[in-house]
Coordinates of all heavy atoms in Angstrom, one line a residue:
M1 N -5.3 -2.1 34.2 CA -4.9 -2.9 33.1 C -5.8 -2.9 31.9 O -5.4 -2.8 30.8 CB -5.1 -4.4 33.7 CG -4.6 -5.5 32.8 SD -2.9 -5.4 32.5 CE -2.4 -6.9 31.8
A2 N -7.1 -2.6 32.1 CA -8.1 -2.4 30.9 C -7.7 -1.1 30.2 O -7.8 -1.0 28.9 CB -9.5 -2.4 31.3
H3 N -7.1 -0.2 31.0 CA -6.8 1.2 30.3 C -5.6 1.0 29.5 O -5.4 1.6 28.4 CB -6.5 2.2 31.4 CG -6.3 3.6 30.9 ND1 -7.2 4.3 30.2 CD2 -5.0 4.4 30.9 CE1 -6.5 5.4 29.8 NE2 -5.4 5.5 30.4
R4 N -4.6 0.1 29.9 CA -3.5 -0.1 29.1 C -3.9 -0.9 27.9 O -3.3 -0.6 26.8 CB -2.4 -1.0 29.9 CG -1.1 -1.2 29.1 CD -0.2 -2.1 29.8 NE 0.3 -1.5 31.0 CZ 1.0 -2.1 31.9 NH1 1.3 -3.4 31.7 NH2 1.5 -1.6 32.9
D5 N -4.7 -1.8 28.0 CA -5.1 -2.6 26.6 C -5.8 -1.6 25.7 O -5.6 -1.8 24.5 CB -6.1 -3.7 27.1 CG -5.3 -4.9 27.8 OD1 -4.1 -4.9 27.6 OD2 -6.0 -5.6 28.5
A6 N -6.7 -0.7 26.2 CA -7.4 0.3 25.4 C -6.5 1.1 24.6 O -6.6 1.4 23.4 CB -8.4 1.1 26.3
N7 N -5.3 1.6 25.3 CA -4.3 2.5 24.8 C -3.6 1.7 23.7 O -3.2 2.2 22.6 CB -3.3 3.0 25.8 CG -4.0 4.0 26.6 OD1 -5.0 4.6 26.3 ND2 -3.4 4.3 27.7
R8 N -3.2 0.4 24.0 CA -2.4 -0.4 23.0 C -3.3 -0.6 21.7 O -2.8 -0.6 20.6 CB -2.1 -1.8 23.7 CG -0.8 -1.6 24.5 CD -0.5 -3.0 25.1 NE -0.1 -4.0 24.0 CZ 1.1 -4.1 23.5 NH1 2.0 -3.1 23.7 NH2 1.4 -5.0 22.6
R9 N -4.6 -1.0 21.9 CA -5.5 -1.1 20.9 C -5.7 0.1 20.0 O -5.7 0.0 18.8 CB -6.8 -1.7 21.3 CG -7.8 -2.1 20.2 CD -9.0 -2.9 20.7 NE -8.7 -4.2 21.2 CZ -8.5 -5.4 20.7 NH1 -8.5 -5.3 19.4 NH2 -8.3 -6.4 21.3
A10 N -5.9 1.3 20.7 CA -5.9 2.5 19.9 C -4.6 2.8 19.1 O -4.7 3.2 18.0 CB -6.2 3.7 20.9
A11 N -3.4 2.5 19.7 CA -2.3 2.8 19.0 C -2.1 1.9 17.8 O -1.8 2.3 16.7 CB -1.0 2.7 20.0
Y12 N -2.5 0.6 18.0 CA -2.6 -0.4 16.9 C -3.4 0.0 15.8 O -2.9 0.1 14.6 CB -3.0 -1.7 17.4 CG -3.1 -2.7 16.3 CD1 -2.1 -3.5 15.8 CD2 -4.5 -3.0 15.9 CE1 -2.3 -4.4 14.8 CE2 -4.6 -4.0 14.9 CZ -3.6 -4.6 14.3 OH -3.7 -5.6 13.3
W13 N -4.6 0.4 16.0 CA -5.5 0.9 15.0 C -5.0 2.3 14.3 O -5.4 2.5 13.2 CB -7.0 1.0 15.5 CG -7.5 -0.4 15.5 CD1 -7.7 -1.0 16.7 CD2 -7.8 -1.3 14.4 NE1 -8.1 -2.3 16.3 CE2 -8.3 -2.4 15.0 CE3 -7.7 -1.1 13.0 CZ2 -8.6 -3.6 14.3 CZ3 -8.0 -2.3 12.3 CH2 -8.6 -3.4 12.9
R14 N -4.4 3.2 15.1 CA -3.8 4.3 14.5 C -2.7 4.0 13.5 O -2.7 4.5 12.4 CB -3.3 5.2 15.7 CG -2.9 6.6 15.3 CD -2.6 7.5 16.4 NE -1.8 6.9 17.5 CZ -2.4 6.6 18.7 NH1 -3.4 6.8 19.0 NH2 -1.5 6.0 19.6
H15 N -1.8 3.1 13.8 CA -0.9 2.6 12.9 C -1.5 2.0 11.7 O -1.0 2.2 10.5 CB 0.0 1.6 13.5 CG 1.1 2.2 14.4 ND1 0.9 2.6 15.7 CD2 2.4 2.6 14.2 CE1 2.0 3.1 16.3 NE2 2.9 3.1 15.3
V16 N -2.5 1.2 11.9 CA -3.2 0.5 10.7 C -3.8 1.4 9.8 O -3.7 1.4 8.5 CB -4.3 -0.7 11.2 CG1 -5.1 -1.1 10.1 CG2 -3.5 -1.7 12.0
R17 N -4.6 2.4 10.3 CA -5.2 3.4 9.6 C -4.1 4.3 8.8 O -4.4 4.6 7.6 CB -6.1 4.4 10.4 CG -7.4 3.6 10.8 CD -8.4 4.6 11.3 NE -7.8 5.4 12.5 CZ -7.9 5.2 13.7 NH1 -8.5 4.0 14.1 NH2 -7.3 5.8 14.7
R18 N -3.1 4.6 9.4 CA -2.0 5.4 8.7 C -1.3 4.7 7.5 O -1.2 5.2 6.5 CB -0.9 5.8 9.8 CG 0.1 6.7 9.1 CD 1.3 7.1 10.1 NE 0.6 7.6 11.3 CZ 1.0 7.4 12.6 NH1 2.1 6.6 12.7 NH2 0.4 8.0 13.6
L19 N -1.1 3.5 7.8 CA -0.4 2.5 6.7 C -1.5 2.4 5.6 O -1.2 2.4 4.5 CB -0.2 1.2 7.4 CG 0.3 0.2 6.3 CD1 1.7 0.6 5.7 CD2 0.5 -1.3 7.0
T20 N -2.7 2.0 5.9 CA -3.8 1.9 4.9 C -3.9 3.2 4.1 O -4.0 3.2 2.9 CB -5.1 1.4 5.5 OG1 -4.8 0.2 6.3 CG2 -6.2 1.2 4.4
G21 N -4.0 4.3 4.7 CA -4.1 5.6 4.0 C -3.0 5.9 3.1 O -3.3 6.3 2.0
L22 N -1.7 5.6 3.5 CA -0.6 5.9 2.7 C -0.6 5.0 1.5 O -0.3 5.4 0.4 CB 0.7 5.8 3.6 CG 1.0 6.8 4.6 CD1 2.1 6.5 5.5 CD2 1.3 8.1 4.0
L23 N -0.8 3.8 1.8 CA -0.8 2.7 0.6 C -1.9 3.1 -0.4 O -1.7 2.9 -1.6 CB -0.8 1.3 1.1 CG 0.5 0.9 1.8 CD1 0.3 -0.4 2.4 CD2 1.7 1.0 1.0
L24 N -3.0 3.6 0.1 CA -4.2 3.8 -0.7 C -3.8 5.0 -1.6 O -4.1 5.2 -2.8 CB -5.5 4.0 0.0 CG -6.3 2.8 0.4 CD1 -7.5 3.1 1.3 CD2 -6.7 2.0 -0.9
A25 N -3.1 6.0 -0.9 CA -2.7 7.2 -1.7 C -1.6 6.9 -2.7 O -1.7 7.4 -3.8 CB -2.0 8.3 -0.8
L26 N -0.8 6.0 -2.4 CA 0.2 5.5 -3.4 C -0.5 4.9 -4.6 O -0.3 5.0 -5.8 CB 1.0 4.5 -2.8 CG 2.3 3.9 -3.7 CD1 3.1 4.9 -4.4 CD2 3.1 2.9 -2.9
W27 N -1.5 4.0 -4.3 CA -2.4 3.2 -5.3 C -3.1 4.3 -6.1 O -2.9 4.2 -7.4 CB -3.3 2.4 -4.6 CG -4.4 1.9 -5.6 CD1 -4.2 0.8 -6.4 CD2 -5.7 2.3 -5.7 NE1 -5.4 0.6 -7.1 CE2 -6.3 1.6 -6.7 CE3 -6.4 3.3 -5.1 CZ2 -7.6 1.7 -7.1 CZ3 -7.8 3.5 -5.5 CH2 -8.2 2.6 -6.5
L28 N -3.7 5.4 -5.6 CA -4.3 6.3 -6.4 C -3.3 7.1 -7.2 O -3.6 7.5 -8.4 CB -5.1 7.3 -5.4 CG -5.8 8.4 -6.1 CD1 -6.9 7.8 -7.0 CD2 -6.4 9.4 -5.0
G29 N -2.2 7.4 -6.7 CA -1.2 8.2 -7.3 C -0.6 7.4 -8.6 O -0.5 8.0 -9.7
V30 N -0.5 6.1 -8.5 CA 0.0 5.3 -9.6 C -1.0 5.3 -10.5 O -0.8 5.4 -11.8 CB 0.5 3.9 -9.1 CG1 0.7 2.9 -10.3 CG2 1.8 3.9 -8.2
T31 N -2.2 5.0 -10.2 CA -3.4 5.0 -11.0 C -3.6 6.3 -11.9 O -3.7 6.2 -13.1 CB -4.6 4.4 -10.4 OG1 -4.4 3.3 -9.8 CG2 -5.8 4.3 -11.5
F32 N -3.6 7.3 -11.1 CA -3.9 8.7 -11.8 C -2.6 9.1 -12.7 O -2.8 9.6 -13.7 CB -4.0 9.6 -10.7 CG -4.2 11.2 -11.2 CD1 -5.4 11.4 -11.8 CD2 -3.3 12.0 -11.1 CE1 -5.6 12.7 -12.3 CE2 -3.4 13.3 -11.5 CZ -4.6 13.6 -12.2
A33 N -1.3 8.7 -12.2 CA -0.2 9.1 -13.1 C -0.2 8.4 -14.5 O 0.1 9.0 -15.4 CB 1.1 8.9 -12.3
V34 N -0.5 7.1 -14.4 CA -0.5 6.3 -15.7 C -1.5 6.9 -16.7 O -1.2 7.1 -17.8 CB -0.8 4.9 -15.4 CG1 -1.1 4.1 -16.7 CG2 0.4 4.2 -14.7
I35 N -2.7 7.4 -16.1 CA -3.7 7.9 -17.0 C -3.5 9.3 -17.4 O -3.5 9.7 -18.6 CB -5.1 7.8 -16.3 CG1 -5.5 6.3 -16.2 CG2 -6.2 8.4 -17.1 CD1 -6.6 6.1 -15.2
F36 N -3.1 10.1 -16.4 CA -2.9 11.5 -16.6 C -1.7 11.8 -17.7 O -1.7 12.8 -18.5 CB -2.7 12.3 -15.4 CG -2.7 13.8 -15.6 CD1 -3.8 14.6 -15.7 CD2 -1.4 14.4 -15.4 CE1 -3.9 15.9 -15.8 CE2 -1.4 15.8 -15.5 CZ -2.5 16.6 -15.8
F37 N -0.5 11.0 -17.5 CA 0.6 11.4 -18.2 C 0.8 10.3 -19.5 O 1.9 10.2 -20.1 CB 1.9 11.2 -17.3 CG 1.9 12.3 -16.4 CD1 1.8 12.0 -15.0 CD2 2.2 13.5 -16.7 CE1 1.8 12.9 -14.0 CE2 2.2 14.6 -15.7 CZ 2.0 14.3 -14.4
A38 N -0.3 9.7 -19.8 CA -0.2 8.7 -20.9 C 0.4 9.3 -22.1 O 1.1 8.7 -22.9 CB -1.6 8.0 -21.2
R39 N -0.1 10.5 -22.5 CA 0.3 11.0 -23.8 C 1.9 11.3 -23.8 O 2.5 11.2 -24.7 CB -0.4 12.5 -24.1 CG -1.9 12.1 -24.6 CD -2.5 13.4 -25.0 NE -3.9 13.1 -25.2 CZ -4.8 13.9 -25.7 NH1 -4.3 15.0 -26.2 NH2 -6.0 13.6 -26.0
E40 N 2.3 12.0 -22.7 CA 3.7 12.3 -22.5 C 4.6 11.0 -22.5 O 5.7 11.0 -23.1 CB 4.0 13.1 -21.3 CG 3.5 14.5 -21.3 CD 2.0 14.6 -21.0 OE1 1.3 13.6 -20.6 OE2 1.5 15.8 -21.1
L41 N 4.1 10.0 -21.9 CA 4.8 8.7 -21.9 C 4.7 7.9 -23.1 O 5.7 7.0 -23.3 CB 4.3 7.9 -20.6 CG 4.4 8.4 -19.2 CD1 3.7 7.5 -18.2 CD2 5.9 8.5 -19.0
A42 N 3.8 8.2 -24.1 CA 3.6 7.4 -25.2 C 5.0 7.7 -26.1 O 5.2 6.8 -27.1 CB 2.3 7.8 -25.9
G43 N 5.6 8.9 -25.9 CA 6.7 9.2 -26.9 C 8.0 8.4 -26.4 O 8.9 8.2 -27.2
L44 N 8.0 7.9 -25.3 CA 9.0 7.0 -24.7 C 8.9 5.6 -25.0 O 7.8 5.1 -24.9 CB 9.4 7.2 -23.3 CG 9.5 8.8 -22.8 CD1 9.6 8.7 -21.3 CD2 11.0 9.2 -23.4
T45 N 10.0 4.8 -25.4 CA 9.8 3.4 -25.6 C 10.7 2.6 -24.6 O 11.7 2.9 -24.2 CB 10.2 3.0 -27.1 OG1 11.6 3.3 -27.2 CG2 9.3 3.7 -28.1
L46 N 10.1 1.4 -24.3 CA 10.8 0.5 -23.3 C 10.7 -0.9 -24.0 O 9.5 -1.4 -24.1 CB 10.3 0.6 -22.0 CG 11.0 -0.2 -20.8 CD1 12.6 0.2 -20.7 CD2 10.1 -0.1 -19.6
F47 N 11.8 -1.5 -24.4 CA 11.7 -2.8 -24.9 C 10.8 -2.9 -26.2 O 10.0 -3.8 -26.5 CB 11.2 -3.9 -24.0 CG 12.1 -4.0 -22.8 CD1 11.7 -3.8 -21.5 CD2 13.5 -4.2 -22.9 CE1 12.4 -3.8 -20.5 CE2 14.3 -4.4 -21.8 CZ 13.8 -4.1 -20.5
G48 N 10.7 -1.7 -27.1 CA 10.0 -1.7 -28.2 C 8.4 -1.3 -28.0 O 7.8 -1.2 -29.0
W49 N 8.0 -1.1 -26.7 CA 6.8 -0.8 -26.5 C 6.7 0.7 -25.9 O 7.7 1.1 -25.2 CB 6.1 -1.6 -25.5 CG 5.9 -3.1 -25.9 CD1 6.8 -4.0 -25.7 CD2 4.8 -3.7 -26.6 NE1 6.4 -5.2 -26.2 CE2 5.1 -5.0 -26.8 CE3 3.6 -3.1 -27.1 CZ2 4.2 -5.8 -27.5 CZ3 2.9 -3.9 -27.8 CH2 3.1 -5.3 -28.0
S50 N 5.7 1.4 -26.2 CA 5.5 2.9 -25.5 C 5.5 2.6 -23.9 O 4.9 1.6 -23.4 CB 4.4 3.6 -26.0 OG 3.2 3.1 -25.6
V51 N 6.1 3.5 -23.3 CA 6.1 3.5 -21.8 C 4.7 3.5 -21.2 O 4.4 2.9 -20.3 CB 7.0 4.4 -21.2 CG1 6.9 4.6 -19.7 CG2 8.5 4.3 -21.7
S52 N 3.9 4.3 -21.8 CA 2.4 4.3 -21.3 C 1.8 3.0 -21.4 O 1.1 2.5 -20.6 CB 1.7 5.3 -22.0 OG 1.5 5.0 -23.5
F53 N 2.0 2.3 -22.6 CA 1.3 0.9 -22.7 C 2.0 0.0 -21.6 O 1.4 -0.8 -21.0 CB 1.6 0.3 -24.1 CG 1.2 -1.1 -24.2 CD1 -0.1 -1.4 -24.4 CD2 2.1 -2.1 -24.1 CE1 -0.5 -2.7 -24.6 CE2 1.8 -3.4 -24.2 CZ 0.4 -3.7 -24.4
Y54 N 3.2 0.1 -21.5 CA 4.0 -0.8 -20.6 C 3.5 -0.7 -19.1 O 3.2 -1.5 -18.4 CB 5.5 -0.6 -20.6 CG 6.3 -1.5 -19.5 CD1 6.4 -2.7 -19.7 CD2 6.9 -0.7 -18.4 CE1 7.1 -3.5 -18.7 CE2 7.4 -1.6 -17.5 CZ 7.6 -2.9 -17.6 OH 8.2 -3.6 -16.6
L55 N 3.4 0.7 -18.7 CA 2.9 0.8 -17.4 C 1.4 0.5 -17.2 O 1.1 0.0 -16.1 CB 3.0 2.4 -17.1 CG 4.3 2.9 -16.7 CD1 4.5 4.4 -16.5 CD2 4.9 2.3 -15.4
A56 N 0.6 0.7 -18.1 CA -0.8 0.3 -18.0 C -1.0 -1.2 -18.0 O -1.8 -1.8 -17.3 CB -1.7 0.9 -19.2
A57 N -0.1 -1.8 -18.9 CA -0.4 -3.3 -19.0 C 0.4 -4.2 -18.0 O -0.1 -5.2 -17.6 CB 0.1 -3.8 -20.4
Q58 N 1.6 -3.6 -17.6 CA 2.5 -4.4 -16.7 C 2.9 -3.7 -15.5 O 2.7 -4.2 -14.4 CB 3.8 -4.8 -17.4 CG 3.5 -5.6 -18.7 CD 2.9 -6.9 -18.4 OE1 3.1 -7.6 -17.4 NE2 2.1 -7.4 -19.4
G59 N 3.4 -2.5 -15.7 CA 4.1 -1.8 -14.4 C 3.2 -1.4 -13.4 O 3.4 -1.6 -12.2
A60 N 1.9 -1.0 -13.7 CA 1.0 -0.6 -12.5 C 0.7 -1.9 -11.9 O 0.5 -1.8 -10.7 CB -0.2 0.1 -13.1
I61 N 0.4 -2.9 -12.5 CA 0.0 -4.1 -11.8 C 1.1 -4.7 -10.8 O 0.8 -5.1 -9.8 CB -0.4 -5.3 -12.9 CG1 -1.6 -4.8 -13.7 CG2 -0.6 -6.6 -12.3 CD1 -1.9 -5.7 -14.8
L62 N 2.3 -4.6 -11.4 CA 3.4 -5.0 -10.5 C 3.6 -4.1 -9.2 O 3.9 -4.6 -8.2 CB 4.8 -4.9 -11.2 CG 4.9 -6.0 -12.4 CD1 6.2 -5.7 -13.2 CD2 4.8 -7.4 -11.8
I63 N 3.4 -2.8 -9.3 CA 3.2 -1.8 -8.4 C 2.2 -2.2 -7.3 O 2.4 -2.2 -6.1 CB 3.1 -0.4 -8.8 CG1 4.5 -0.1 -9.5 CG2 2.9 0.5 -7.6 CD1 4.4 1.3 -10.1
Y64 N 1.0 -2.5 -7.9 CA -0.1 -3.0 -7.0 C 0.1 -4.2 -6.2 O -0.2 -4.3 -5.0 CB -1.3 -3.3 -7.8 CG -2.0 -2.1 -8.6 CD1 -2.6 -2.2 -9.7 CD2 -1.7 -0.8 -8.2 CE1 -3.2 -1.2 -10.5 CE2 -2.2 0.3 -8.9 CZ -3.0 0.2 -10.1 OH -3.4 1.1 -10.8
L65 N 0.9 -5.2 -6.9 CA 1.3 -6.4 -6.2 C 2.3 -6.1 -5.0 O 2.2 -6.7 -4.0 CB 1.9 -7.4 -7.1 CG 0.9 -8.1 -8.0 CD1 1.6 -9.1 -9.0 CD2 -0.1 -9.0 -7.1
A66 N 3.2 -5.1 -5.3 CA 4.1 -4.8 -4.4 C 3.5 -4.0 -3.1 O 3.8 -4.3 -2.0 CB 5.1 -3.8 -5.0
I67 N 2.4 -3.2 -3.5 CA 1.7 -2.6 -2.4 C 1.1 -3.7 -1.4 O 1.1 -3.5 -0.2 CB 0.7 -1.6 -2.9 CG1 1.3 -0.4 -3.5 CG2 -0.4 -1.1 -1.9 CD1 0.4 0.5 -4.3
V68 N 0.4 -4.7 -2.1 CA -0.2 -5.7 -1.3 C 0.8 -6.5 -0.5 O 0.6 -6.8 0.7 CB -1.1 -6.7 -2.2 CG1 -1.6 -7.9 -1.6 CG2 -2.1 -5.8 -2.9
G69 N 2.0 -6.8 -1.1 CA 3.0 -7.5 -0.4 C 3.5 -6.7 0.8 O 3.7 -7.4 1.8
F70 N 3.7 -5.5 0.6 CA 4.2 -4.6 1.6 C 3.3 -4.5 2.8 O 3.6 -4.5 4.0 CB 4.6 -3.2 1.0 CG 5.2 -2.3 2.1 CD1 6.4 -2.3 2.5 CD2 4.3 -1.3 2.7 CE1 6.9 -1.5 3.6 CE2 4.7 -0.5 3.7 CZ 6.0 -0.4 4.0
Y71 N 2.0 -4.4 2.4 CA 0.9 -4.3 3.5 C 0.9 -5.5 4.3 O 0.9 -5.4 5.5 CB -0.5 -4.1 2.8 CG -1.6 -4.0 3.7 CD1 -1.8 -2.9 4.5 CD2 -2.4 -5.2 4.0 CE1 -2.9 -2.8 5.3 CE2 -3.5 -5.1 4.8 CZ -3.7 -3.9 5.6 OH -4.7 -3.9 6.4
A72 N 1.0 -6.8 3.6 CA 0.9 -8.0 4.4 C 2.2 -8.1 5.3 O 2.0 -8.5 6.4 CB 0.8 -9.2 3.5
L73 N 3.3 -7.8 4.8 CA 4.5 -7.7 5.6 C 4.5 -6.9 6.9 O 4.7 -7.3 7.9 CB 5.7 -7.6 4.7 CG 7.1 -7.7 5.4 CD1 7.4 -9.2 5.6 CD2 8.2 -7.1 4.5
R74 N 4.1 -5.6 6.6 CA 3.9 -4.6 7.5 C 2.9 -5.0 8.6 O 3.1 -4.8 9.9 CB 3.8 -3.3 7.0 CG 3.8 -2.1 7.9 CD 5.2 -2.0 8.4 NE 5.3 -0.9 9.3 CZ 5.7 -1.0 10.7 NH1 6.3 -2.0 11.0 NH2 5.8 0.2 11.4
M75 N 1.8 -5.6 8.3 CA 0.8 -5.9 9.1 C 1.2 -7.1 10.0 O 0.8 -7.2 11.2 CB -0.7 -6.2 8.4 CG -1.3 -5.0 7.9 SD -1.7 -3.8 9.2 CE -2.8 -4.7 10.2
R76 N 2.0 -8.0 9.5 CA 2.5 -9.1 10.2 C 3.3 -8.6 11.4 O 3.3 -9.0 12.5 CB 3.2 -10.1 9.4 CG 3.7 -11.2 10.2 CD 4.4 -12.3 9.2 NE 3.4 -12.7 8.3 CZ 3.8 -13.5 7.2 NH1 5.0 -13.6 6.9 NH2 2.8 -13.9 6.4
R77 N 4.2 -7.6 11.1 CA 5.1 -7.1 12.1 C 4.3 -6.1 13.1 O 4.5 -6.2 14.3 CB 6.1 -6.2 11.4 CG 7.2 -6.8 10.7 CD 8.1 -5.8 10.0 NE 9.0 -6.5 9.2 CZ 9.9 -5.9 8.3 NH1 9.8 -4.4 8.2 NH2 10.6 -6.5 7.5
L78 N 3.3 -5.5 12.6 CA 2.4 -4.6 13.6 C 1.7 -5.6 14.4 O 1.5 -5.5 15.8 CB 1.4 -3.8 12.9 CG 1.9 -2.4 12.5 CD1 0.8 -1.8 11.6 CD2 2.2 -1.5 13.6
D79 N 1.1 -6.7 13.9 CA 0.4 -7.8 14.8 C 1.3 -8.4 16.0 O 1.0 -8.4 17.0 CB -0.1 -8.8 14.0 CG -1.3 -8.4 13.0 OD1 -1.9 -7.3 13.4 OD2 -1.7 -9.1 12.2
A80 N 2.7 -8.6 15.5 CA 3.6 -9.2 16.4 C 3.9 -8.1 17.4 O 4.1 -8.5 18.6 CB 4.8 -9.7 15.7
R81 N 4.1 -6.9 17.0 CA 4.6 -5.8 17.9 C 3.5 -5.5 19.0 O 3.8 -5.3 20.1 CB 4.9 -4.6 17.1 CG 5.3 -3.4 17.9 CD 5.5 -2.2 17.1 NE 5.7 -0.9 17.8 CZ 5.6 0.1 17.2 NH1 5.6 0.4 16.0 NH2 5.6 1.3 18.0
F82 N 2.3 -5.6 18.5 CA 1.2 -5.1 19.4 C 0.6 -6.3 20.0 O -0.5 -6.3 20.8 CB 0.1 -4.3 18.8 CG 0.5 -2.8 18.5 CD1 1.2 -2.5 17.4 CD2 0.5 -1.9 19.5 CE1 1.6 -1.1 17.1 CE2 1.0 -0.6 19.4 CZ 1.6 -0.2 18.2
G83 N 1.0 -7.6 19.6 CA 0.3 -8.8 20.3 C -1.1 -9.0 19.8 O -1.9 -9.6 20.6
E84 N -1.4 -8.6 18.5 CA -2.8 -8.8 18.1 C -3.0 -10.1 17.5 O -2.1 -10.7 16.9 CB -3.2 -7.7 17.0 CG -3.2 -6.3 17.4 CD -4.5 -6.2 18.4 OE1 -5.6 -6.7 18.1 OE2 -4.4 -5.5 19.4
D85 N -4.1 -10.7 17.8 CA -4.5 -12.0 17.2 C -5.1 -11.7 15.8 O -6.2 -11.1 15.7 CB -5.4 -12.7 18.1 CG -5.8 -14.1 17.6 OD1 -5.2 -14.7 16.6 OD2 -6.7 -14.7 18.1
S86 N -4.6 -12.3 14.7 CA -5.0 -12.1 13.4 C -6.4 -12.8 13.2 O -7.0 -12.7 12.1 CB -4.0 -12.5 12.4 OG -3.7 -13.8 12.5
H87 N -6.8 -13.7 14.1 CA -8.1 -14.5 13.8 C -9.3 -13.9 14.6 O -10.2 -14.5 14.8 CB -7.8 -15.9 14.4 CG -6.8 -16.7 13.6 ND1 -6.8 -17.0 12.3 CD2 -5.5 -17.0 14.0 CE1 -5.7 -17.5 11.9 NE2 -4.8 -17.6 12.9
G88 N -9.0 -12.6 15.0 CA -10.2 -12.0 15.7 C -9.8 -11.6 17.0 O -8.8 -11.7 17.6
G89 N -10.8 -11.0 17.6 CA -10.8 -10.5 19.1 C -9.8 -10.2 19.8 O -9.4 -9.7 20.7

């Protein structure tokens, strides 16, 4: 029984680490892309503002909020799937 619990806990943390790594890579990609491509994006306009300004001021923040929301939703599903208690132990 203890072996089964150890396997479930290991699988749970493997999923958590994979999800966290993927979302951190997305966060880094969004942050890097906005900065790296700012000059190219400055030539494009969206609602009267340059796209680089829009992404830096609004778009990236909305993507970050979407990442946090997706993480919370996915973690809730993982906790339910693996029977983890979100309050510890």
Side-chain angles (χ1 to χ4, degrees):
M1 187 66 163
H3 184 62
R4 180 187 293 170
D5 288 340
N7 286 341
R8 285 181 57 81
R9 189 170 291 282
Y12 172 79
W13 283 108
R14 192 170 40 252
H15 281 85
V16 170
R17 285 191 306 268
R18 184 180 308 138
L19 175 65
T20 303
L22 289 172
L23 292 178
L24 281 174
L26 177 62
W27 169 80
L28 180 65
V30 167
T31 302
F32 180 72
V34 168
I35 294 168
F36 188 76
F37 295 111
R39 288 186 187 191
E40 288 82 6
L41 294 173
L44 302 172
T45 59
L46 182 65
F47 304 118
W49 297 92
S50 70
V51 173
S52 62
F53 173 81
Y54 176 74
L55 284 175
Q58 304 294 331
I61 294 171
L62 293 176
I63 293 172
Y64 299 154
L65 286 174
I67 289 171
V68 170
F70 180 79
Y71 178 80
L73 185 71
R74 187 66 179 128
M75 285 304 298
R76 183 177 296 164
R77 288 182 187 166
L78 275 175
D79 288 345
R81 177 179 167 195
F82 286 95
E84 289 293 320
D85 182 12
S86 63
H87 299 292

